[in-house]
Amino acid sequence: MSFYQSYLGYRDFPFAQYLDAITESQAAAALSKERLKEQDLLTLLSPQAEPFLEDMAQKAHRLTMNQFGSVIFLFTPMYLSNFCTNHCVYCGFNVRNKIGRRRLSFDEVEKEAAKIAETGLKHILILTGEAKKKAGIEYLQGCVKILKTYFTSIAIEIYPLETDEYGKLIASGVDSLTIFQETYNERLYETLHPKGPKRDYRFRIDAPERGCMAGMRSVNVGALLGLDNWRSEAFFTGLHAEYLQRKYPEVEISISLPRMRPQVGGFQPKFTVSDRNLVQIMTAFRLFLPRAGITVSTRESAVFRDSILPLGVTKMSAGSCTSVGGHTSKESGSSQFEISDERGVGEMATALASLGFQPVYKDWQPMEARGDESV
């Protein structure tokens, strides 16, 4: 049974009525448990759990220290192409938006890689729009071949693929997959994606599992917070991560918490997700999934990212830009969205160290690259 099939039972779940019926005593009981069930996660995401937010934060901190210590893994995104065939109403890469479209040549990929590598980072996340004719598997394989000489870990955040296509990229050197469902509300999903291949909800929602089946070392899921009620979106994100973690114990499962940011096209999210809301989501995730990685990107401000470090964060982006070739070129008008935390890698590492955390540039290396180290 796929996650989509197991999720169907919750599709018409009366969230509003269920949340209203939760009591503070139930929230306290959920908080006290060592192992949380699905209903406990929803309870800790409820308004009745808000008075216990400090207790949730303290427990989340303890669990994070037990599982991960004070380590924060750093990476940076690298945009290869912003050509897209989709009409996603909330995205700066929407095919209807009047932005500069480009795809990096292999020479430009090498220049970007060399520039990023100067920071000391060894992990990179490569991104494209959804236009397979412009950034197909062969193009991506060519990019990965170049990037392997600079980085020990290469993650992708691209359009969803078939299992064998993920396998081809893994064979080329990709080891991690990030893919956001955007919204788990299937009916809303159709409205937000009126045209284009991304309109296929089921193909996208089961993509993380295809990545696991293909042999990805790490898979990262999430919802774009602000598109729908954050409590239900966080609940389904948690269920999705738990499903993958349980079914594929050999895969490192992580969750991202991206909030909507300003972008070309001017889409305004209907739902507000406050800083306090995001803290509740993060701590509920940590209590529900103690072993899951939690990523907070430069969508969030420097001040806020620093303040939430003890609450469950394990991964952060640094030195980010969301335009194609943005690490070596300052061309404007092609960004996917605006970032908030503009600190470079060195500045980010210094800030982490000053707060008692250890910035890590490299935490994994493929067997074929270890040589004598593997003996």
Side-chain angles (χ1 to χ4, degrees), residues 6-22:
S6 63
Y7 146 88
L8 287 176
Y10 278 106
R11 191 164 60 172
D12 295 316
F13 186 76
F15 280 99
Q17 296 91 317
Y18 186 89
L19 290 169
D20 286 343
I22 292 172

Side-chain angles (χ1 to χ4, degrees), residues 278-298:
L278 200 65
V279 167
Q280 186 173 359
I281 295 169
M282 181 188 304
T283 53
F285 281 160
R286 174 55 68 229
L287 271 56
F288 183 57
L289 297 168
R291 295 187 296 107
I294 295 179
T295 302
V296 179
S297 75
T298 51

